[in-house]
Amino acid sequence: MRQRLSDALYGLGWATVKRLPEPAAMALGRRIADTAWRRRGPAVRRLEANYARVVPDASPARLRALSRAGMRSYLRYWIESFRLPVWDEARIRNCFHVADFHLVKETLAQGRGVVLALPHSGNWDVAGAWLVTELRIPLTTVAERLKPETLYDRFVAYREGLGMEVVPHTGGSAFGILSRRLRKGGVVALVADRDLSASGVEVTFFGEPTRMPAGPALLAQQTGAALFPVELWYDETTVIKGRVHPAVEPPAEGTRAEKTAAMTQQLADSFAAGIARHPHDWHMLQRLWLSDLEPRPGEPGAAPPKERAA
């Protein structure tokens, strides 16, 4: 029932919000955000707890203000995403400004693939639509399989409608597809601050251990693509801001695992610096740090496996 309700609510958002005048849609998003913030449900409490790691000296009042701003930023993301399919090309071109994008263009001009790695900040869907419009080439990304399946299908159709190629996170073929696109000089964009697999790399993030996906670093090593950390944030204008940071290079020495660990830590450090500059635009409403997660099977503190019935 909860899954069907989620699908229905997202469908209502896509059907209704995109038809509202933009000021009315944004005002609606702020009202929804403020209502959720005042109710102080699990997602808001988790967001606040995550911000406590980002701004460790913040007072309780400061954390409450951050979580309110964070919920407003998060709902701005959704309102923009619901409206994005009806934006014309001029609106997409003018909705995003990114510094140092020449790093991407110069790499592609050399025939080399590009991996863009970014955290859950700002609006990565708008940035992706802008990139497709700007470069006139497809953008390949990975999507987490959502439940119900109809909701996942909505997200895939939505992103494909923006000119993106969407590969499911599960199924085992994602890495091979992404590698082929990169070897042909394509662009792959990956939201990479939260590990959704069992093979994440342990990194230090705001002074505590967590895991982040190994995929960006492995793809760069295997295909020779350039790996660029990307920072996204909002300001008081309607134009989303971004910056492409210098490429993360594989270390000259070490095993593949050691190189992957070092590159992923560099990504984590870049993400942390950007999030610290714009903490309320980081939309992490889930548990992230290892101390907040349930231990995995075989790890210290994990529950023993249940015996199978005879």
Side-chain angles (χ1 to χ4, degrees):
M1 178 63 71
R2 179 179 294 179
Q3 293 175 9
R4 290 197 297 270
L5 180 60
S6 295
D7 186 34
L9 289 174
Y10 282 116
L12 180 64
W14 266 301
T16 303
V17 172
K18 66 184 179 182
R19 293 187 173 90
L20 292 174
E22 188 157 323
M26 290 300 176
L28 174 62
R30 288 191 295 271
R31 287 198 297 272
I32 295 172
D34 289 348
T35 299
W37 177 77
R38 284 193 295 269
R39 290 178 176 173
R40 198 164 173 76
V44 173
R45 296 197 302 272
R46 173 50 48 194
L47 182 66
E48 207 165 285
N50 290 341
Y51 287 157
R53 264 69 170 239
V54 177
V55 190
D57 58 347
S59 66
R62 168 66 171 148
L63 287 176
R64 286 289 284 148
L66 268 177
S67 64
R68 183 181 189 185
M71 289 303 295
R72 285 189 167 194
S73 177
Y74 182 55
L75 264 293
R76 176 175 171 178
Y77 161 80
W78 279 111
I79 295 297
E80 288 173 341
S81 297
F82 287 147
R83 294 178 57 77
L84 186 51
V86 299
W87 287 1
D88 60 21
E89 186 171 301
R91 178 73 173 88
I92 292 174
R93 284 186 175 277
N94 293 326
C95 72
F96 182 55
H97 178 268
V98 56
D100 296 327
F101 191 66
H102 67 90
L103 297 172
V104 173
K105 287 186 172 181
E106 290 166 1
T107 302
L108 292 173
Q110 299 167 7
R112 189 180 176 195
V114 166
V115 180
L116 302 174
L118 56 155
H120 287 80
S121 294
N123 193 322
W124 47 95
D125 284 330
V126 170
W130 178 89
L131 187 145
V132 169
T133 302
E134 176 71 16
L135 295 179
R136 301 292 182 185
I137 63 173
L139 168 70
T140 304
T141 188
V142 173
E144 178 184 1
R145 279 203 175 274
L146 302 172
K147 293 182 179 180
E149 193 74 15
T150 51
L151 181 56
Y152 172 77
D153 292 341
R154 285 183 189 273
F155 275 96
V156 170
Y158 157 66
R159 288 185 170 131
E160 288 179 343
L162 301 176
M164 305 180 197
E165 178 188 20
V166 181
V167 180
H169 181 267
T170 56
S173 62
F175 192 87
I177 294 171
L178 299 179
S179 296
R180 289 194 290 273
R181 301 298 181 266
L182 291 169
R183 288 195 178 98
K184 292 181 179 179
V187 179
V188 167
L190 300 171
V191 181
D193 57 344
R194 180 169 172 251
D195 179 43
L196 298 175
S197 71
S199 58
V201 176
E202 187 168 319
V203 297
T204 300
F205 191 53
F206 289 103
E208 292 189 44
T210 186
R211 293 187 186 91
M212 292 187 180
L218 286 172
L219 285 167
Q221 291 178 75
Q222 182 159 313
T223 68
L227 172 57
F228 293 109
V230 179
E231 179 181 356
L232 300 175
W233 70 93
Y234 289 126
D235 59 17
E236 298 303 317
T237 73
T238 60
V239 179
I240 302 164
K241 302 302 190 295
R243 180 177 298 277
V244 178
H245 292 278
V248 172
E249 300 292 346
E253 298 181 354
T255 64
R256 172 170 288 196
E258 290 169 342
K259 292 179 180 180
T260 299
M263 295 172 73
T264 306
Q265 183 62 62
Q266 288 185 60
L267 282 181
D269 293 342
S270 181
F271 293 165
I275 291 166
R277 284 187 285 269
H278 312 281
H280 61 278
D281 289 324
W282 186 43
H283 310 145
M284 185 55 66
L285 281 71
Q286 298 84 17
R287 297 180 181 185
L288 182 70
W289 281 272
L290 299 187
S291 59
D292 294 333
L293 297 172
E294 294 291 332
R296 296 180 178 182
E299 292 181 340
K306 295 181 179 179
E307 293 186 4
R308 298 180 64 181

